[in-house]
Amino acid sequence: MNTNKFNSIICADIGRCVGTEIALSSGKLALWLGLDFLFTQTVINVLHTAAWRGVWNIIDIVFSGEGGLFEDAAYTDSAVTCCAGIILNIVIYVSSKTIQRILEKLPKPLFWIISRLFTAIYFIFYMLLWRSFWNLLYLLIPTVLSKLIAFLVSTLLLCLAGCFNSNIGVPGSIELDNTDEYCVIYTYLSSMDEKKSPFVRYGLMLADVFCTVIIEILVVFCWFGTYEIIVYTLPAQPSVSQLVECLIPIMLGVVSGAVAFLVQLVILVWVEGKRSGWIQRRAAHFVIACLGLLSTIFHWYGMWTFLDYYIMPQHPISSNMVTAGVGILGLTLLGASRSLHGGVARDGQPGDGYPIQPYFFISRIIE
């Protein structure tokens, strides 16, 4: 396969991911991909982890911290907050398209302000769901073996549902704000035909929100199992210093992220160049998503731990407020606040891009 064919396949996939036609020479393609990879691995990754860590920990302090609503009542905490997280996220799933249609009628400055406020509110609901189920898993599956089994079972179920790609987070894949459907959340049946009869439409909507919540919870299981195995495996204090404890997973995240991206480029050219069928495409997405998941969790663990150790560790409330604010505001100003949205990513769907999507600058390049 010649270089032009190689470039055209990669550019076509990037175009599907960013929603605009991309046509770059080999040198410029390599340059922009390299810049995007470095920028998402550093700036976007730090801001995103800061936002997650800040909001997650604040929720933890409110519900289970000293003087919290459910201090020393872990099971009550999990029961109440898991239910609240599910309900609030379902409200977002059901209403996001309506919110988008309403906000579209507003002047652009007002749309920008209210839509970003929507993201902040949804992100809090999203973190409530994740934090609550994460803490529940600590109560229900305490052993390393049970965590490994939880990871394997959730992986199998996500693959059967065709949504294993939902595991890939920042910096492996980011979402930019330059879309006509900023407030719309990707759900399991997002592509369903809204012209169906009201009875069928409402039935599909109920099935959609139910499946989306289940998939989101399965992703929590998958991340939890991966995270716990990584924490169990990597060195920590007192065998290494605080800084080394943080830097090891961050470096592993960069390496595994680079490997995932390079493997994707090779598999992309091989699979799409041969016009392979859906089985080969789904298998390719699974391999890439496994590497992407590993990179995401390495980064998440290392950067979160770094922020815990070095950002006002003696003042946890102030520390978390600062990181939450800087993370959310930073991503908003950079035009990547949709990276804070949850939602479902499907595996190997026709017309969709491959799962590793660290495209920031290249989405603005048109030749």
Side-chain angles (χ1 to χ4, degrees), residues 44-340:
I44 299 295
N45 178 46
V46 171
L47 292 173
H48 188 267
T49 307
W52 270 61
R53 180 249 184 193
V55 175
W56 183 310
N57 284 348
I58 290 169
I59 293 172
D60 227 18
I61 291 169
V62 170
F63 287 108
S64 60
E66 185 177 351
L69 294 176
F70 304 111
E71 184 183 3
D72 299 325
Y75 284 97
T76 303
D77 175 15
S78 294
V80 173
T81 56
C82 283
C83 291
I86 289 173
I87 293 169
L88 291 172
N89 277 268
I90 286 176
V91 170
I92 296 294
Y93 299 152
V94 172
S95 63
S96 68
K97 290 182 180 179
T98 302
I99 292 171
Q100 177 66 33
R101 285 194 290 267
I102 293 171
L103 295 186
E104 283 175 350
K105 301 174 183 179
L106 300 175
K108 285 187 177 180
L110 191 56
F111 170 84
W112 190 91
I113 293 170
I114 297 178
S115 63
R116 273 53 180 183
L117 180 61
F118 163 82
T119 289
I121 293 170
Y122 170 41
F123 181 59
I124 293 170
F125 294 169
Y126 187 57
M127 287 296 93
L128 176 63
L129 179 75
W130 268 73
R131 169 265 175 198
S132 302
F133 274 93
W134 194 277
N135 287 357
L136 179 63
L137 293 181
Y138 275 124
L139 298 174
L140 299 181
I141 47 177
T143 66
V144 174
L145 178 59
S146 62
K147 291 167 185 174
L148 177 60
I149 293 172
F151 167 77
L152 294 174
V153 172
S154 59
T155 295
L156 175 61
L157 293 175
L158 285 170
C159 288
L160 291 175
C163 297
F164 189 73
N165 283 353
S166 301
N167 279 305
I168 302 178
V170 174
S173 182
I174 67 171
E175 286 275 352
L176 299 182
D177 300 345
N178 55 346
T179 173
D180 294 332
E181 297 186 330
Y182 175 88
C183 295
V184 176
I185 308 302
Y186 300 133
T187 55
Y188 188 66
L189 299 175
S190 288
S191 59
M192 66 181 180
D193 186 2
E194 294 190 357
K195 296 181 180 179
K196 296 181 182 294
S197 68
F199 179 78
V200 174
R201 189 166 66 249
Y202 289 132
L204 287 173
M205 184 180 68
L206 290 174
D208 187 25
V209 297
F210 174 79
C211 292
T212 303
V213 167
I214 294 299
I215 288 167
E216 196 68 65
I217 294 170
L218 289 174
V219 171
V220 177
F221 271 79
C222 226
W223 275 47
F224 180 79
T226 306
Y227 171 84
E228 287 297 305
I229 292 169
I230 286 174
V231 171
Y232 180 79
T233 304
L234 294 183
Q237 293 189 81
S239 59
V240 295
S241 67
Q242 286 185 347
L243 183 60
V244 171
E245 181 183 354
C246 303
L247 290 179
I248 289 175
I250 291 173
M251 291 299 101
L252 289 173
V254 173
V255 172
S256 56
V259 170
F261 199 22
L262 291 173
V263 167
Q264 173 169 292
L265 295 178
V266 173
I267 292 179
L268 168 65
V269 172
W270 180 63
V271 172
E272 301 304 324
K274 293 185 175 182
R275 299 185 182 277
S276 302
W278 70 271
I279 295 178
Q280 292 91 336
R281 187 174 290 109
R282 286 281 295 273
H285 277 237
F286 177 75
V287 172
I288 296 164
C290 285
L291 294 170
L293 169 63
L294 191 63
S295 175
T296 299
I297 304 300
F298 274 134
H299 276 296
W300 194 59
Y301 167 47
M303 185 53 62
W304 192 309
T305 306
F306 181 87
L307 295 173
D308 280 346
Y309 284 155
Y310 296 105
I311 304 299
M312 295 184 287
Q314 304 302 321
H315 306 281
I317 295 178
S318 299
S319 173
N320 288 297
M321 291 290 289
V322 167
T323 58
V326 170
I328 295 172
L329 182 61
L331 289 172
T332 300
L333 294 177
L334 287 173
S337 61
R338 271 179 57 85
S339 298
L340 298 172

